[in-house]
Amino acid sequence: MITIETFVHILDLGGTFVFAISGAIAAVNRRLDIFGILVLSFVAGNFGGIGRDLLIGAVPPAALTDGRYLLVSVLAGLITFFSYAGVDRLRSPVLLFDAVGLSFFAVAGAQKAIEFGLSPVMSALLGMLTGIGGGMTRDVLLAEIPQVLRSDLYAVAALAGASTVVVGHMLGLSYGVSALAGGTLCFGLRYMAIRRGWHLPVAHLSARRRAETNSSDDKRER
């Protein structure tokens, strides 16, 4: 019978792999060389988990002591480098792999926080942070606005998945059931955000846009 600790570890490695692929795809799209691709694979696949472990005191982080994390990241980068044409056939590959990784990390991060004795609210927030950390670092290194700061559902999806695990734990459900439900919810929200354009409310007109609009109006009046 598989233990909760082993199951969390499997989810952690699974999230590392798919996030590493998303990082490698983004690197290929930016025309990085093979070293840059491997670096971005490791960053995208592991920085969420590293941040989580540092915050809960699980030091040194698992990604830096367990060689399987590095191996999985390098493998994902090499697969993408040599088989990019096949990976790229997927619709919106970066976003889809990112959604899967987000789901894995959100439910695994929440459970690990619970095991370290954090409160339900903090466990859910740490699960969200685990999910968004790697993607945020990837986007920052590529000089892009992190997806978590954009209008589509990203951090909200991770928080929903992590919260499902926390609620399941409070109700006495097995981790397998709550992780499956939380992961499905997280991926479903991200997928629908990608396909249907679901997003959080945004300001209709930014300060910069208002200034540009006012400047245009002044020019017309003249």
Side-chain angles (χ1 to χ4, degrees):
M1 185 68 178
I2 188 170
T3 64
I4 292 180
E5 183 178 354
T6 302
F7 190 38
V8 171
H9 193 62
I10 291 172
L11 288 178
D12 227 18
L13 288 172
T16 298
F17 181 76
V18 292
F19 258 138
I21 286 182
S22 77
I25 292 173
V28 172
N29 289 338
R30 287 300 191 93
R31 306 293 297 171
L32 271 62
D33 61 21
I34 187 169
F35 181 75
I37 292 170
L38 295 179
V39 168
L40 213 61
S41 295
F42 181 81
V43 167
N46 293 280
F47 269 47
I50 289 174
R52 172 202 63 205
D53 290 349
L54 290 175
L55 288 174
I56 64 178
V59 293
L64 302 182
T65 58
D66 189 337
R68 285 174 290 186
Y69 288 91
L70 176 61
L71 179 62
V72 164
S73 301
V74 170
L75 180 62
L78 292 176
I79 288 174
T80 305
F81 179 79
F82 289 108
S83 304
Y84 178 74
V87 176
D88 194 46
R89 290 193 185 99
L90 296 174
R91 182 185 181 275
S92 302
V94 174
L95 294 177
L96 291 177
F97 278 114
D98 195 77
V100 175
L102 183 71
S103 303
F104 281 2
F105 271 168
V107 298
Q111 180 61 29
K112 193 163 186 177
I114 291 172
E115 292 175 356
F116 271 75
L118 270 67
S119 68
V121 173
M122 292 299 105
S123 296
L125 290 176
L126 194 64
M128 178 189 71
L129 181 62
T130 306
I132 67 178
M136 285 186 65
T137 310
R138 175 201 64 208
D139 293 343
V140 168
L141 289 177
L142 291 174
E144 296 179 355
I145 299 175
Q147 292 184 23
V148 67
L149 302 180
R150 302 175 189 175
S151 58
D152 56 352
L153 301 179
Y154 194 82
V156 171
L159 182 60
S163 298
T164 301
V165 172
V166 172
V167 171
H169 175 76
M170 294 174 65
L171 295 176
L173 300 178
S174 69
Y175 176 60
V177 173
S178 59
L180 179 61
T184 302
L185 176 61
C186 179
F187 180 81
L189 288 174
R190 277 296 296 144
Y191 184 76
M192 292 306 294
I194 295 168
R195 291 294 300 272
R196 303 294 183 182
W198 290 3
H199 58 81
L200 297 174
V202 296
H204 293 292
L205 200 60
S206 66
R208 180 178 178 180
R209 183 69 179 278
R210 285 198 301 270
E212 293 174 351
T213 302
N214 293 334
S215 177
S216 298
D217 292 341
D218 292 340
K219 290 180 181 178
R220 292 195 196 98
E221 290 176 359
R222 292 173 186 172

